[in-house]
Amino acid sequence: MVSRVIPVDPFDLVIFGGTGDLARRKILPGLYRRFLAGQVPDSSRIIGAARGEMDDDGFRAFVAEAIGEFVSEGKRDGETLARFLGHVHYVSVDAKGDGGWKDLARLMRKDVVQAFYFSVAPSLFGDLAERLHRFRIATETARIVVEKPFGRDLDSARALNATLAEHFTEHQIYRIDHYLGKETVQNLMAVRFANILFEPLWNARHVDHVQITVAETVGVGGRGAYYDKSGAMRDMVQNHLMQLLCLIAMEAPYRFDPDAVRDEKLKVIRALKEIGPEDIVRGQYRGGPRAGGEPSYVEDAEDPASKTESYIALKVQIANWRWKGTPFYLRTGKKLRARASEIAVVFKEVPHSIFDDEEGWRENVLSIRLQPNEGMTLSVMIKEPGPGGMRLTEVPLDMSFAEALGEDGTDIPDAYERLIMDVIRGNQTLFMRGDEVEAAWAWTDPIIAAWEARGDKPKGYDPGSSGPEDALMLLHRDGRRWREIRE
Ligand code: NAD
């Protein structure tokens, strides 16, 4: 299947923080791949803007190096790369000072799509927004893209929303959550709302529970002191896992329109029940000999008394008609057994089994894999082939996007490149709205405040494991099991 490439209008895309890590690893290589796909129209420009002194050629060398490192070899011949670099420019600006802004103002065109990607620390968002306004750079239709973290609690998120709102309308603000840019995540909406098969079963009557897992193998080494100020709840649950939960749990929007979709997600967040200490397990990875001599979390965090979690598991309930009594189990952590992200919708038993083979029977599971190998699998029960009576076995109905959509999977656009193209097109469906982010913090804040007030210490877990033992109990006591974390 060849994917259709929809043309976009010419644009000027400014990447504040264009020389940073995110730009190097994701944004610039992603733009190159979109260029290859024909989505960077001739007169479009990609303008790096950062504090360092550099000229166009210096930045082009930086971009070429990033592409060399993060784009597969077969896709970067010298001639194509040179054509792409012809779109690339650089301006040195200081977000906190006035230097460079007039140069940027001179460079920008008013008659093309303008997008400003804030790939800098959130503490600079307000400064950038204010200067884009004061130097009359941004047009009324200009878009700004802001990176995570969007605040660290409700108050700071509100303050950030208010600051941006001084200079931009909500329709101009694109709060990025790259999980929403994943092919599978969008496919989840297509599967739910473009098929008659699933929706009738998509409720507490037929769904036993849902598991959402985002497991990483890396620790926080290198940025431990920074991570220690947030932890897994703030860094992953409040945004990524919550967004995934919303897409699974939301009602059908009246149409596939940005505000219609985001209204439905917001309703889910508002319907989340408060959760108590018995429904939360927090963990920190251990170090020492069993960790192959690797440092423990508290060593990485450079604080022996740190109570910040590198792992969290939660049992979440949604107080509405559709989901009453169906738990959503969420977990995410560092230094776990495998790098794997999955949403599993586990269906209930058949009402009455006519087969004797109770051992062979398994519940139907719709597994949505976000990484690695994006795809969906629906497990169904069939008869085990051959003689020997009616024995049951489970087979996967597999839909691997990599195979279905591209020769080797490399044609699937990365989440960032897809989202950047949505910005250029002016489509906010896959971006978080300000009220959504605030609602998510409003649910998260009291949970964090409660464990801080109790002085809870996270449980230790071994690197390479599935997390703390207590997390197993979270499901065991409900007569359920976590799915295995595997690539
Ligand atoms: P980084 O530290 O690697 O890069 C920061 C960039 O900002 C540099 O280009 C630097 O020149 C520029 N900068 C710093 N101060 C400036 C100033 N006063 N004026 C103008 N430019 C200035 O950071 P990063 O890792 O690229 O992250 C950027 C943003 O993206 C942060 O908000 C981060 O939380 C977020 N983010 C990063 C990643 C990632 O994988 N790196 C992932 C998700 C979100």
Side-chain angles (χ1 to χ4, degrees), residues 6-51:
I6 300 165
V8 294
D9 292 331
F11 58 82
D12 277 355
L13 167 65
V14 177
I15 309 169
F16 290 112
T19 56
D21 176 65
L22 184 66
R24 192 175 71 85
R25 285 190 306 111
K26 295 287 180 185
I27 304 172
L28 295 165
L31 284 163
Y32 177 72
R33 284 190 289 262
R34 288 299 89 204
F35 171 74
L36 292 182
Q39 280 186 322
V40 175
D42 281 349
S43 72
S44 298
R45 292 182 303 180
I46 295 159
I47 301 162
R51 210 167 26 173

Side-chain angles (χ1 to χ4, degrees), residues 15-27 49-53 59 62 90-97 99 101 117-125 127-128 146-150 176 178 223 226 235 240 416:
I15 309 169
F16 290 112
T19 56
D21 176 65
L22 184 66
R24 192 175 71 85
R25 285 190 306 111
K26 295 287 180 185
I27 304 172
R51 210 167 26 173
E53 285 297 333
F59 187 56
F62 173 85
Y90 184 81
V91 191
S92 167
V93 288
D94 181 359
K96 289 212 163 284
W101 287 92
Y117 199 129
F118 291 10
S119 182
V120 294
S123 57
L124 299 177
F125 290 176
D127 297 304
L128 293 179
V146 295
E147 263 297 337
K148 86 174 217 188
F150 200 87
I176 214 158
H178 67 275
R223 53 180 208 113
Y226 166 80
D235 190 47
H240 307 314
Y416 276 96

Side-chain angles (χ1 to χ4, degrees), residues 118 125-134 138-140 144 150 157-173 175:
F118 291 10
F125 290 176
D127 297 304
L128 293 179
E130 189 269 325
R131 282 170 177 76
L132 284 174
H133 178 80
R134 179 150 54 88
T139 60
E140 284 191 353
I144 60 168
F150 200 87
R158 272 192 183 141
L160 205 45
N161 274 334
T163 305
L164 296 179
E166 281 176 32
H167 307 292
F168 293 93
T169 66
E170 184 60 34
H171 288 294
Q172 295 179 282
I173 304 171
R175 294 175 194 78

Side-chain angles (χ1 to χ4, degrees), residues 192-245:
R192 280 194 64 189
F193 302 125
N195 295 288
I196 193 74
L197 286 177
F198 296 100
E199 210 45 30
L201 302 178
W202 211 261
N203 55 49
R205 263 188 78 195
H206 300 291
V207 175
D208 181 71
H209 71 281
V210 176
Q211 296 186 18
I212 303 180
T213 301
V214 177
E216 296 175 275
T217 49
V218 293
V220 299
R223 53 180 208 113
Y226 166 80
Y227 179 91
D228 201 49
K229 296 194 205 90
S230 56
M233 184 72 161
R234 287 193 170 96
D235 190 47
M236 297 297 293
V237 176
Q238 183 273 344
N239 39 40
H240 307 314
L241 277 80
M242 198 93 111
Q243 288 292 321
L244 300 179
L245 178 137

